[in-house]
């Protein structure tokens, strides 16, 4: 099973504290053998249930069930190495994310694929960590983008004698007319005023793209 070490290593790069369980699937009987860790991954005590294809698919997340079913069907025909990442709902009702890798074994006499063997790897904690990191990065990026907008609103409101809402509308209108992102227009306003050589007329010019003097 040459594909397994590579796929397992790839899954384990997602983080630590993964549970890795083994399985064997008899295609003729549709019965499964699970290691103790595989029972644990699915929320069962070892030997608590008899694993079957019906049971395995019943625990797949409804949105992933058809896809993983097709993966197993294809592997049962071709015997080729396979891998898939999908979600399950374990016996305790918890959603978990698994990487499953495996490969077919052939009957030495008929050369037909007779079973699939491989590993289930619980990568739930790593997926959650990655999602948390992505959410935090998104929040940080939003804050970085928002800061110059808030600064520019204050500058525009002061220079033009309008409120913050109207100041933002001037930023948005300029953005639409120039096809430049609001945050970039805001940065231009802020950068102008930090040089110390900027007048109120200069700020207004930036916000009036149709005026020739504001072309830049």
């Amino acid at each position: 099973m040459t594909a397994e070490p590579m796929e397992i290593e790839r899954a384990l790069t997602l983080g630590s504290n993964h549970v890795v369980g083994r399985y064997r699937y008899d295609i003729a009987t549709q019965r499964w053998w699970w290691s103790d860790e595989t029972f644990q991954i699915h929320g069962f005590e070892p030997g608590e249930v008899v694993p079957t294809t019906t049971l395995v698919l019943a625990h797949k997340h409804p949105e992933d069930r058809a896809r993983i079913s097709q993966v197993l069907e294809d592997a049962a025909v071709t015997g080729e190495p396979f891998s898939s990442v999908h979600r399950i709902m374990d016996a305790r009702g918890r959603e978990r994310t698994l990487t499953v890798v495996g490969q077919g074994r052939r009957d030495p006499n008929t050369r037909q694929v007779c079973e699939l063997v491989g590993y289930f790897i619980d990568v739930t904690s790593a997926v959650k960590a990655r999602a948390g990191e992505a959410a935090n990065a998104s929040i940080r990026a939003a804050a970085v983008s928002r800061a110059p907008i808030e600064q520019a609103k204050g500058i525009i409101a002061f220079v033009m004698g309008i409120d913050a809402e109207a100041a933002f509308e001037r930023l948005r209108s300029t953005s639409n007319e120039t096809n430049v992102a609001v945050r970039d227009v805001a940065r231009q306003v802020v950068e102008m005023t930090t040089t110390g050589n900027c007048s109120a007329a200069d700020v207004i010019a930036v916000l009036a793209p149709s005026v020739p003097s504001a072309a830049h």
Side-chain angles (χ1 to χ4, degrees):
M1 298 200 302
T2 57
E4 290 181 9
M6 181 181 297
E7 296 298 342
I8 292 172
E9 182 176 352
R10 186 175 301 159
L12 293 180
T13 61
L14 292 173
S16 57
N17 300 322
H18 298 306
V19 178
V20 179
R22 292 174 295 138
Y23 70 84
R24 184 170 62 250
Y25 168 48
D26 186 301
I27 295 173
T29 64
Q30 295 197 348
R31 297 288 290 271
W32 294 67
W33 171 85
W34 283 355
S35 69
D36 290 352
E37 293 82 5
T38 302
F39 279 99
Q40 177 186 340
I41 287 171
H42 286 81
F44 295 107
E45 292 297 324
E48 183 178 347
V49 294
V50 176
T52 63
T53 300
T54 300
L55 176 70
V56 168
L57 293 179
H59 281 280
K60 304 305 179 189
H61 191 285
E63 294 178 3
D64 296 345
R65 188 174 296 138
R67 177 170 58 83
I68 194 63
S69 178
Q70 189 62 53
V71 168
L72 293 175
E73 288 180 16
D74 291 345
V77 172
T78 68
E80 294 296 318
F82 64 90
S83 65
S84 175
V85 177
H86 62 275
R87 295 162 294 173
I88 68 167
M89 303 301 296
D90 74 10
R92 301 180 185 179
R94 300 171 301 186
E95 181 179 310
R96 312 198 69 77
T97 302
L98 309 183
T99 293
V100 59
V101 297
Q103 183 170 327
R105 284 180 175 167
R106 296 181 181 275
D107 184 291
N109 297 318
T110 66
R111 302 307 302 163
Q112 295 295 310
V113 181
C114 60
E115 64 180 10
L116 302 179
V117 292
Y119 298 85
F120 283 110
I121 306 165
D122 186 346
V123 295
T124 305
S125 59
V127 170
K128 287 181 177 179
R130 287 286 179 88
E133 290 171 2
N136 289 336
S138 178
I139 292 170
R140 289 193 296 270
V144 169
S145 296
R146 192 68 192 173
I149 293 175
E150 293 301 321
Q151 287 178 283
K153 281 167 55 178
I155 294 167
I156 295 166
F158 176 76
V159 168
M160 304 186 69
I162 57 180
D163 62 23
E165 184 176 347
F168 180 73
E169 283 303 310
R170 293 304 296 265
L171 280 171
R172 189 173 63 82
S173 295
T174 301
S175 171
N176 290 338
E177 291 182 37
T178 61
N179 197 30
V180 176
V182 170
R183 64 178 178 274
D184 293 330
V185 176
R187 287 194 182 100
Q188 185 178 355
V189 171
V190 173
E191 289 170 1
M192 287 175 59
T193 58
T194 56
T195 63
N197 298 317
C198 174
S199 67
D202 292 327
V203 174
I204 294 172
V206 171
L207 301 171
S210 59
V211 178
S213 62
H216 299 290

XYZ file of all heavy atoms in Angstrom, residues 30-123:
761
model
N -19.642 -6.823 2.661
C -19.820 -5.435 3.101
C -19.649 -5.297 4.615
O -20.213 -4.405 5.239
C -21.192 -4.883 2.663
C -21.334 -4.769 1.161
C -22.472 -3.872 0.743
O -23.313 -3.486 1.547
N -22.500 -3.531 -0.525
N -18.860 -6.193 5.183
C -18.537 -6.112 6.599
C -17.186 -5.442 6.762
O -16.301 -5.588 5.927
C -18.507 -7.515 7.234
C -19.844 -8.232 7.201
C -20.843 -7.625 8.171
N -20.481 -7.897 9.551
C -20.879 -8.992 10.209
N -21.631 -9.893 9.622
N -20.526 -9.168 11.469
N -17.055 -4.738 7.870
C -15.829 -4.001 8.151
C -15.173 -4.542 9.409
O -15.846 -4.975 10.342
C -16.129 -2.517 8.374
C -16.648 -1.784 7.179
C -17.852 -1.966 6.543
C -15.985 -0.731 6.469
N -17.991 -1.106 5.494
C -16.855 -0.322 5.423
C -14.759 -0.098 6.617
C -16.528 0.695 4.535
C -14.427 0.922 5.735
C -15.301 1.306 4.695
N -13.865 -4.490 9.442
C -13.119 -4.676 10.680
C -12.521 -3.328 11.049
O -11.940 -2.638 10.214
C -11.989 -5.692 10.497
C -11.088 -5.733 11.709
C -11.270 -6.464 12.843
C -9.883 -4.971 11.912
N -10.269 -6.222 13.745
C -9.406 -5.293 13.201
C -9.182 -4.057 11.144
C -8.243 -4.738 13.729
C -8.025 -3.485 11.660
C -7.566 -3.835 12.945
N -12.720 -2.938 12.314
C -12.193 -1.677 12.823
C -11.223 -1.945 13.960
O -11.472 -2.815 14.812
C -13.306 -0.786 13.371
C -14.145 -0.083 12.346
C -13.979 -0.079 10.997
C -15.302 0.719 12.619
N -14.952 0.683 10.413
C -15.776 1.184 11.371
C -15.968 1.075 13.792
C -16.902 2.006 11.274
C -17.078 1.895 13.697
C -17.541 2.351 12.443
N -10.152 -1.188 14.008
C -9.290 -1.214 15.186
C -9.988 -0.454 16.301
O -10.987 0.256 16.083
C -7.938 -0.551 14.876
O -8.096 0.849 14.696
N -9.483 -0.570 17.525
C -10.087 0.134 18.670
C -10.133 1.635 18.421
O -11.109 2.312 18.791
C -9.283 -0.144 19.946
C -9.436 -1.574 20.427
O -10.278 -2.312 19.861
O -8.710 -1.961 21.374
N -9.107 2.164 17.777
C -9.052 3.606 17.515
C -10.144 4.042 16.542
O -10.691 5.141 16.654
C -7.676 3.990 16.944
C -6.516 3.832 17.906
C -6.011 2.392 17.974
O -6.503 1.539 17.203
O -5.100 2.128 18.793
N -10.483 3.188 15.594
C -11.531 3.530 14.632
C -12.890 3.555 15.315
O -13.725 4.418 15.014
C -11.521 2.542 13.452
O -10.241 2.570 12.835
C -12.570 2.910 12.426
N -13.121 2.614 16.239
C -14.353 2.686 17.046
C -14.401 4.015 17.794
O -15.435 4.690 17.837
C -14.408 1.522 18.046
C -14.895 0.224 17.474
C -14.011 -0.777 17.092
C -16.258 0.002 17.310
C -14.457 -1.975 16.567
C -16.726 -1.207 16.782
C -15.822 -2.193 16.409
N -13.272 4.381 18.392
C -13.200 5.627 19.163
C -13.508 6.833 18.284
O -14.262 7.737 18.688
C -11.801 5.768 19.767
C -11.565 7.062 20.534
C -10.115 7.204 20.971
O -9.368 6.229 21.046
N -9.706 8.431 21.249
N -12.937 6.871 17.091
C -13.167 7.978 16.166
C -14.656 8.139 15.870
O -15.164 9.258 15.763
C -12.376 7.754 14.859
C -10.880 7.977 15.109
C -12.873 8.666 13.749
C -9.997 7.566 13.940
N -15.368 7.025 15.762
C -16.792 7.066 15.444
C -17.689 7.182 16.681
O -18.915 7.122 16.561
C -17.183 5.829 14.632
C -16.700 5.866 13.208
N -15.404 5.531 12.848
C -17.319 6.233 12.055
C -15.262 5.665 11.544
N -16.397 6.096 11.045
N -17.064 7.334 17.844
C -17.846 7.557 19.052
C -18.338 6.307 19.741
O -19.240 6.374 20.588
N -17.762 5.146 19.426
C -18.176 3.879 20.021
C -17.063 3.315 20.901
O -15.882 3.621 20.709
C -18.496 2.844 18.929
C -19.672 3.173 18.065
C -19.482 3.595 16.754
C -20.961 3.074 18.554
C -20.561 3.890 15.942
C -22.054 3.367 17.749
C -21.853 3.782 16.436
N -17.473 2.463 21.832
C -16.515 1.647 22.554
C -16.105 0.488 21.644
O -16.911 0.022 20.821
C -17.129 1.097 23.845
C -17.428 2.158 24.893
C -16.174 2.861 25.379
O -15.123 2.179 25.494
O -16.226 4.073 25.626
N -14.864 0.014 21.744
C -14.437 -1.109 20.902
C -15.390 -2.292 21.004
O -15.735 -2.734 22.107
C -13.055 -1.454 21.459
C -12.543 -0.153 22.011
C -13.757 0.520 22.596
N -15.874 -2.789 19.859
C -16.767 -3.938 19.827
C -18.215 -3.616 20.147
O -19.054 -4.519 20.176
N -18.534 -2.334 20.360
C -19.907 -1.962 20.745
C -20.903 -2.224 19.629
O -22.072 -2.541 19.877
C -19.943 -0.490 21.139
C -21.308 -0.009 21.635
C -21.273 1.453 22.056
O -20.174 2.027 22.201
O -22.369 2.027 22.254
N -20.476 -2.076 18.376
C -21.343 -2.325 17.223
C -20.583 -3.182 16.230
O -19.372 -3.359 16.330
C -21.770 -1.008 16.535
C -22.650 -0.174 17.460
C -20.552 -0.210 16.082
N -21.325 -3.732 15.278
C -20.716 -4.485 14.184
C -20.663 -3.548 12.975
O -21.709 -3.181 12.429
C -21.529 -5.742 13.835
C -20.924 -6.448 12.618
C -21.598 -6.677 15.025
N -19.476 -3.125 12.561
C -19.378 -2.176 11.450
C -19.845 -2.791 10.123
O -19.414 -3.889 9.757
C -17.887 -1.835 11.385
C -17.321 -2.281 12.695
C -18.153 -3.452 13.120
N -20.726 -2.109 9.449
C -21.169 -2.489 8.111
C -21.123 -1.240 7.238
O -20.999 -0.120 7.737
C -22.610 -3.029 8.128
O -23.493 -1.973 8.566
C -22.756 -4.231 9.065
N -21.255 -1.431 5.941
C -21.264 -0.278 5.033
C -22.427 0.646 5.360
O -22.289 1.872 5.332
C -21.354 -0.747 3.572
O -20.227 -1.571 3.273
C -21.383 0.435 2.615
N -23.581 0.062 5.688
C -24.748 0.876 6.054
C -24.441 1.746 7.259
O -24.763 2.949 7.286
C -25.962 -0.025 6.354
O -26.283 -0.788 5.192
C -27.165 0.808 6.764
N -23.792 1.173 8.265
C -23.441 1.928 9.469
C -22.413 3.012 9.138
O -22.544 4.160 9.581
C -22.869 0.991 10.533
C -22.381 1.672 11.818
C -23.560 2.205 12.623
C -21.553 0.702 12.663
N -21.404 2.636 8.350
C -20.355 3.592 8.002
C -20.950 4.800 7.282
O -20.674 5.956 7.628
C -19.277 2.918 7.122
C -18.345 3.961 6.521
C -18.490 1.906 7.938
N -21.799 4.556 6.290
C -22.381 5.657 5.529
C -23.389 6.453 6.353
O -23.543 7.662 6.162
C -23.040 5.127 4.252
C -22.080 4.546 3.204
C -22.847 4.023 2.003
C -21.072 5.597 2.763
N -24.061 5.787 7.282
C -25.043 6.484 8.118
C -24.388 7.560 8.957
O -25.026 8.571 9.304
C -25.782 5.488 9.008
N -23.126 7.359 9.314
C -22.427 8.332 10.153
C -21.768 9.446 9.336
O -21.282 10.418 9.924
C -21.382 7.635 11.018
C -21.968 6.967 12.221
N -22.304 7.654 13.370
C -22.327 5.672 12.436
C -22.821 6.815 14.256
N -22.849 5.603 13.711
N -21.746 9.329 8.005
C -21.159 10.390 7.204
C -22.067 11.617 7.255
O -23.293 11.505 7.326
C -20.971 9.954 5.747
C -20.150 8.689 5.557
C -18.780 8.773 6.219
C -17.983 7.485 6.029
N -16.742 7.438 6.826
N -21.472 12.776 7.211
C -22.251 14.010 7.163
C -23.137 13.962 5.918
O -22.684 13.557 4.838
C -21.310 15.209 7.101
C -21.991 16.524 7.302
N -22.776 17.115 6.330
C -22.007 17.377 8.375
C -23.237 18.268 6.778
N -22.798 18.441 8.015
N -24.410 14.365 6.037
C -25.323 14.280 4.879
C -24.774 14.938 3.621
O -25.019 14.450 2.511
C -26.583 15.008 5.383
C -26.557 14.812 6.865
C -25.094 14.856 7.244
N -24.021 16.018 3.783
C -23.496 16.728 2.605
C -22.307 16.001 1.986
O -21.938 16.288 0.844
C -23.099 18.151 2.984
C -24.281 19.016 3.398
C -23.850 20.410 3.808
O -22.637 20.720 3.714
O -24.710 21.199 4.230
N -21.696 15.076 2.719
C -20.519 14.356 2.224
C -20.807 12.898 1.893
O -19.957 12.210 1.320
C -19.394 14.406 3.273
C -18.905 15.817 3.527
O -19.207 16.714 2.717
O -18.216 16.033 4.541
N -21.997 12.427 2.258
C -22.291 10.990 2.163
C -22.187 10.463 0.738
O -21.553 9.420 0.493
C -23.679 10.715 2.740
C -24.017 9.222 2.862
C -25.347 9.060 3.574
N -25.261 9.555 4.946
C -26.210 10.289 5.534
N -27.311 10.613 4.861
N -26.066 10.685 6.793
N -22.799 11.154 -0.222
C -22.796 10.666 -1.598
C -21.370 10.620 -2.155
O -20.995 9.679 -2.859
C -23.687 11.546 -2.473
N -20.587 11.624 -1.804
C -19.217 11.696 -2.325
C -18.358 10.544 -1.810
O -17.658 9.884 -2.588
C -18.600 13.039 -1.945
C -17.139 13.183 -2.378
C -16.668 14.616 -2.187
N -16.805 15.061 -0.821
C -15.905 14.807 0.139
N -14.829 14.091 -0.142
N -16.079 15.259 1.368
N -18.412 10.273 -0.494
C -17.573 9.214 0.059
C -18.076 7.841 -0.386
O -17.290 6.906 -0.577
C -17.500 9.302 1.606
C -16.370 8.416 2.138
C -18.814 8.947 2.246
C -14.998 8.813 1.679
N -19.397 7.730 -0.591
C -19.954 6.478 -1.106
C -19.389 6.184 -2.489
O -19.011 5.039 -2.797
C -21.481 6.556 -1.164
O -22.014 5.361 -1.711
N -19.275 7.224 -3.312
C -18.726 7.051 -4.658
C -17.247 6.690 -4.598
O -16.764 5.875 -5.398
C -18.922 8.331 -5.461
C -18.587 8.185 -6.938
C -19.482 7.173 -7.635
O -20.708 7.273 -7.563
N -18.881 6.183 -8.273
N -16.521 7.303 -3.659
C -15.100 6.989 -3.494
C -14.918 5.505 -3.190
O -14.055 4.830 -3.776
C -14.476 7.835 -2.364
C -13.089 7.312 -1.993
C -14.374 9.299 -2.787
N -15.740 4.980 -2.284
C -15.637 3.567 -1.912
C -16.023 2.657 -3.071
O -15.379 1.618 -3.305
C -16.523 3.285 -0.699
C -16.101 3.946 0.618
C -17.141 3.683 1.698
C -14.732 3.432 1.070
N -17.073 3.042 -3.796
C -17.504 2.225 -4.941
C -16.407 2.160 -6.000
O -16.129 1.090 -6.556
C -18.786 2.810 -5.538
C -20.020 2.604 -4.679
C -21.269 3.201 -5.321
O -21.215 3.496 -6.543
O -22.276 3.359 -4.622
N -15.806 3.313 -6.285
C -14.744 3.341 -7.301
C -13.539 2.512 -6.853
O -12.950 1.767 -7.662
C -14.305 4.785 -7.548
C -15.382 5.619 -8.235
O -16.338 5.033 -8.765
O -15.266 6.861 -8.224
N -13.170 2.635 -5.583
C -12.017 1.891 -5.071
C -12.274 0.389 -5.105
O -11.365 -0.404 -5.369
C -11.698 2.336 -3.645
N -13.524 0.000 -4.852
C -13.870 -1.424 -4.865
C -13.741 -2.012 -6.266
O -13.500 -3.211 -6.426
C -15.287 -1.629 -4.334
N -13.893 -1.179 -7.279
C -13.786 -1.647 -8.666
C -12.338 -1.618 -9.139
O -11.839 -2.580 -9.728
C -14.662 -0.777 -9.596
C -14.410 -1.142 -11.063
C -16.133 -0.947 -9.255
N -11.649 -0.509 -8.861
C -10.308 -0.331 -9.414
C -9.201 -0.860 -8.508
O -8.137 -1.266 -8.992
C -10.033 1.154 -9.672
O -9.952 1.858 -8.413
C -11.135 1.771 -10.514
N -9.420 -0.816 -7.205
C -8.384 -1.210 -6.251
C -7.264 -0.196 -6.131
O -6.278 -0.427 -5.428
N -7.415 0.958 -6.807
C -6.360 1.958 -6.795
C -6.291 2.674 -5.438
O -7.306 2.779 -4.733
C -6.610 3.001 -7.892
C -6.504 2.458 -9.308
C -5.103 1.987 -9.614
O -4.149 2.682 -9.241
O -4.958 0.910 -10.237
N -5.118 3.178 -5.061
C -5.013 3.948 -3.813
C -5.947 5.157 -3.855
O -6.147 5.770 -4.912
C -3.544 4.386 -3.805
C -2.848 3.392 -4.673
C -3.818 3.039 -5.753
N -6.513 5.496 -2.719
C -7.446 6.628 -2.671
C -7.286 7.364 -1.347
O -6.735 6.845 -0.377
C -8.896 6.151 -2.831
C -9.380 5.264 -1.711
C -10.000 5.790 -0.587
C -9.198 3.891 -1.777
C -10.442 4.976 0.439
C -9.631 3.056 -0.749
C -10.257 3.602 0.359
N -7.782 8.579 -1.331
C -7.837 9.364 -0.096
C -8.993 10.332 -0.196
O -9.376 10.743 -1.301
C -6.523 10.121 0.139
O -6.327 11.092 -0.862
N -9.549 10.689 0.941
C -10.667 11.624 0.958
C -10.735 12.282 2.322
O -10.430 11.661 3.345
C -11.986 10.884 0.677
O -13.093 11.763 0.809
N -11.130 13.538 2.330
C -11.404 14.244 3.577
C -12.901 14.488 3.635
O -13.497 15.017 2.692
C -10.638 15.588 3.646
C -10.992 16.335 4.929
C -9.141 15.354 3.566
N -13.525 14.085 4.727
C -14.971 14.258 4.846
C -15.364 14.370 6.317
O -14.556 14.115 7.206
C -15.709 13.082 4.198
C -15.413 11.761 4.841
N -14.323 11.000 4.499
C -16.050 11.068 5.820
C -14.309 9.893 5.225
N -15.346 9.917 6.052
N -16.600 14.742 6.553
C -17.117 14.904 7.904
C -18.007 13.715 8.273
O -18.638 13.123 7.409
C -17.936 16.189 8.003
C -17.130 17.464 7.792
C -18.028 18.640 7.470
N -18.683 18.442 6.187
C -19.638 19.245 5.706
N -20.060 20.275 6.429
N -20.178 19.010 4.523
N -18.015 13.409 9.568
C -18.957 12.423 10.086
C -19.685 13.014 11.284
O -19.248 14.009 11.866
C -18.252 11.112 10.518
C -17.360 11.356 11.755
C -17.477 10.493 9.372
C -16.877 10.078 12.432
N -20.794 12.399 11.625
C -21.477 12.673 12.889
C -21.285 11.423 13.726
O -21.793 10.355 13.380
C -22.966 12.958 12.660
C -23.240 14.105 11.706
S -22.519 15.689 12.239
C -23.438 15.980 13.754
N -20.511 11.523 14.797
C -20.208 10.312 15.554
C -21.401 9.879 16.402
O -22.453 10.532 16.396
C -18.928 10.482 16.384
C -19.106 11.380 17.613
O -20.248 11.740 17.965
O -18.079 11.724 18.235
N -21.253 8.770 17.105
C -22.367 8.187 17.862
C -22.875 9.105 18.961
O -23.989 8.916 19.464
C -21.945 6.845 18.458
N -22.087 10.112 19.342
C -22.497 11.066 20.373
C -23.026 12.370 19.784
O -23.233 13.344 20.501
C -21.314 11.354 21.300
C -20.768 10.099 21.984
C -19.603 10.419 22.878
N -19.021 9.202 23.437
C -17.971 9.187 24.254
N -17.391 10.323 24.592
N -17.506 8.041 24.716
N -23.191 12.376 18.451
C -23.748 13.552 17.802
C -22.763 14.661 17.537
O -23.151 15.784 17.218
N -21.462 14.370 17.651
C -20.438 15.382 17.411
C -19.953 15.304 15.968
O -19.720 14.213 15.451
C -19.248 15.178 18.351
C -19.594 15.268 19.832
C -18.421 14.833 20.689
N -18.012 13.456 20.386
C -17.093 12.795 21.064
N -16.462 13.385 22.076
N -16.776 11.551 20.734
N -19.800 16.472 15.351
C -19.261 16.501 13.994
C -17.741 16.397 14.055
O -17.090 17.112 14.803
C -19.652 17.801 13.284
C -19.135 17.875 11.850
C -19.542 19.145 11.136
O -20.754 19.474 11.173
O -18.660 19.816 10.556
N -17.196 15.493 13.253
C -15.755 15.300 13.217
C -15.298 15.282 11.763
O -16.068 14.928 10.867
C -15.354 13.999 13.906
C -15.991 13.803 15.285
C -15.268 12.760 16.103
N -13.946 13.206 16.506
C -13.733 14.079 17.506
N -14.747 14.599 18.167
N -12.490 14.434 17.823
N -14.062 15.675 11.533
C -13.500 15.674 10.179
C -12.437 14.588 10.100
O -11.526 14.546 10.929
C -12.875 17.038 9.836
O -13.877 18.056 9.961
C -12.346 17.033 8.407
N -12.570 13.722 9.117
C -11.658 12.597 8.964
C -10.958 12.635 7.612
O -11.531 13.089 6.614
C -12.410 11.260 9.061
C -13.342 11.025 10.242
C -13.911 9.609 10.154
C -12.628 11.249 11.563
N -9.744 12.163 7.609
C -9.066 11.806 6.364
C -9.067 10.293 6.294
O -8.667 9.625 7.249
C -7.613 12.318 6.356
O -7.610 13.751 6.310
C -6.872 11.797 5.137
N -9.550 9.741 5.194
C -9.517 8.287 5.022
C -8.612 7.990 3.837
O -8.683 8.640 2.799
C -10.935 7.702 4.798
C -11.606 8.301 3.581
C -10.870 6.182 4.663
N -7.705 7.059 4.026
C -6.811 6.628 2.953
C -6.870 5.108 2.866
O -7.147 4.427 3.864
C -5.354 7.082 3.199
C -5.249 8.588 3.209
C -4.799 6.502 4.493
N -6.650 4.603 1.696
C -6.695 3.152 1.560
C -6.333 2.686 0.166
O -5.955 3.476 -0.705
N -6.468 1.375 -0.019
C -6.121 0.755 -1.288
C -6.752 -0.626 -1.325
O -7.012 -1.245 -0.287
C -4.595 0.641 -1.409
C -4.106 0.080 -2.737
C -2.600 0.220 -2.867
O -2.020 1.174 -2.368
N -1.970 -0.747 -3.532
N -7.033 -1.126 -2.527
C -7.644 -2.441 -2.658
C -6.635 -3.571 -2.598
O -5.460 -3.384 -2.921
N -7.119 -4.714 -2.160
C -6.340 -5.954 -2.240
C -7.093 -6.919 -3.139
O -8.317 -7.012 -3.075
C -6.164 -6.563 -0.844
C -5.134 -5.847 0.018
C -5.005 -6.502 1.371
N -3.940 -5.893 2.175
C -3.770 -6.104 3.468
N -4.584 -6.942 4.115
N -2.789 -5.516 4.120
N -6.354 -7.641 -3.941
C -6.978 -8.541 -4.914
C -6.876 -9.999 -4.478
O -5.907 -10.411 -3.838
C -6.322 -8.369 -6.289
C -6.531 -6.984 -6.876
C -5.894 -6.850 -8.257
N -6.092 -5.501 -8.788
C -7.186 -5.120 -9.453
N -8.139 -6.017 -9.690
N -7.302 -3.886 -9.888
N -7.879 -10.759 -4.846
C -7.863 -12.204 -4.617
C -6.754 -12.801 -5.486
O -6.714 -12.546 -6.698
C -9.219 -12.805 -4.990
C -9.287 -14.282 -4.686
O -8.596 -15.061 -5.379
O -10.030 -14.665 -3.766
N -5.862 -13.574 -4.894
C -4.735 -14.106 -5.676
C -5.167 -15.024 -6.810
O -4.427 -15.208 -7.782
C -3.903 -14.860 -4.634
C -4.848 -15.145 -3.511
C -5.806 -14.004 -3.485
N -6.354 -15.618 -6.704
C -6.822 -16.536 -7.740
C -7.601 -15.817 -8.843
O -7.340 -16.009 -10.027
C -7.689 -17.633 -7.120
C -6.910 -18.489 -6.139
O -5.762 -18.854 -6.383
N -7.525 -18.799 -5.005
N -8.569 -14.995 -8.442
C -9.434 -14.328 -9.431
C -8.874 -12.992 -9.892
O -9.288 -12.469 -10.913
C -10.823 -14.089 -8.844
O -10.734 -13.144 -7.769
C -11.421 -15.392 -8.333
N -7.967 -12.409 -9.103
C -7.409 -11.087 -9.350
C -8.458 -9.990 -9.231
O -8.224 -8.843 -9.613
C -6.724 -10.999 -10.740
C -5.614 -12.006 -10.954
C -4.586 -11.929 -9.827
N -3.992 -10.594 -9.716
C -3.329 -10.157 -8.645
N -3.169 -10.944 -7.588
N -2.809 -8.947 -8.649
N -9.606 -10.321 -8.693
C -10.633 -9.320 -8.444
C -10.347 -8.621 -7.113
O -9.805 -9.226 -6.184
C -12.019 -9.967 -8.383
C -12.463 -10.590 -9.699
C -12.657 -9.546 -10.786
O -13.324 -8.536 -10.585
N -12.061 -9.793 -11.944
N -10.726 -7.347 -7.012
C -10.568 -6.622 -5.749
C -11.512 -7.244 -4.732
O -12.728 -7.302 -4.946
C -10.882 -5.119 -5.914
C -10.679 -4.388 -4.589
C -10.015 -4.506 -7.001
N -10.956 -7.730 -3.633
C -11.791 -8.424 -2.647
C -11.954 -7.638 -1.353
O -12.912 -7.862 -0.600
C -11.225 -9.816 -2.347
S -9.537 -9.792 -1.672
N -11.037 -6.713 -1.068
C -11.175 -5.911 0.145
C -10.413 -4.601 0.006
O -9.523 -4.461 -0.831
C -10.692 -6.677 1.370
C -9.226 -7.021 1.368
C -8.803 -7.789 2.618
O -9.674 -8.214 3.394
O -7.580 -7.948 2.826
N -10.827 -3.652 0.839
C -10.129 -2.379 0.949
C -9.516 -2.304 2.337
O -10.154 -2.707 3.316
C -11.092 -1.206 0.750
C -11.871 -1.156 -0.563
C -12.806 0.054 -0.580
C -10.930 -1.123 -1.757
N -8.313 -1.805 2.430
C -7.646 -1.671 3.718
C -7.024 -0.273 3.799
O -6.613 0.298 2.785
C -6.553 -2.739 3.909
C -7.155 -4.118 4.030
C -5.545 -2.692 2.766
N -6.964 0.249 5.010
C -6.361 1.573 5.153
C -6.548 2.148 6.539
O -6.663 1.404 7.525
N -6.637 3.461 6.587
C -6.651 4.170 7.861
C -7.692 5.286 7.860
O -7.923 5.954 6.842
C -5.282 4.815 8.136
C -4.153 3.831 8.256
C -3.485 3.382 7.120
C -3.757 3.340 9.488
C -2.443 2.470 7.213
C -2.712 2.426 9.597
C -2.055 2.001 8.456
O -1.028 1.092 8.551
N -8.308 5.499 9.019
C -9.083 6.702 9.304
C -8.212 7.580 10.201
O -7.655 7.101 11.186
C -10.375 6.374 10.062
C -11.473 5.797 9.219
C -11.841 4.464 9.359
C -12.139 6.580 8.297
C -12.864 3.927 8.603
C -13.167 6.050 7.526
C -13.532 4.717 7.673
N -8.101 8.864 9.858
C -7.311 9.795 10.661
C -8.212 10.944 11.071
O -8.764 11.650 10.214
C -6.105 10.336 9.859
C -5.276 9.169 9.301
C -5.247 11.248 10.722
C -4.302 9.581 8.223
N -8.388 11.116 12.369
C -9.246 12.185 12.885
C -8.450 13.495 12.884
O -7.521 13.666 13.669
C -9.706 11.834 14.305
C -10.722 12.835 14.852
O -10.870 13.911 14.260
O -11.356 12.520 15.881
N -8.817 14.409 11.988
C -8.115 15.697 11.887
C -8.995 16.853 12.363
O -8.772 18.007 12.019
C -7.636 15.951 10.438
C -6.598 14.922 10.025
C -8.808 15.955 9.458
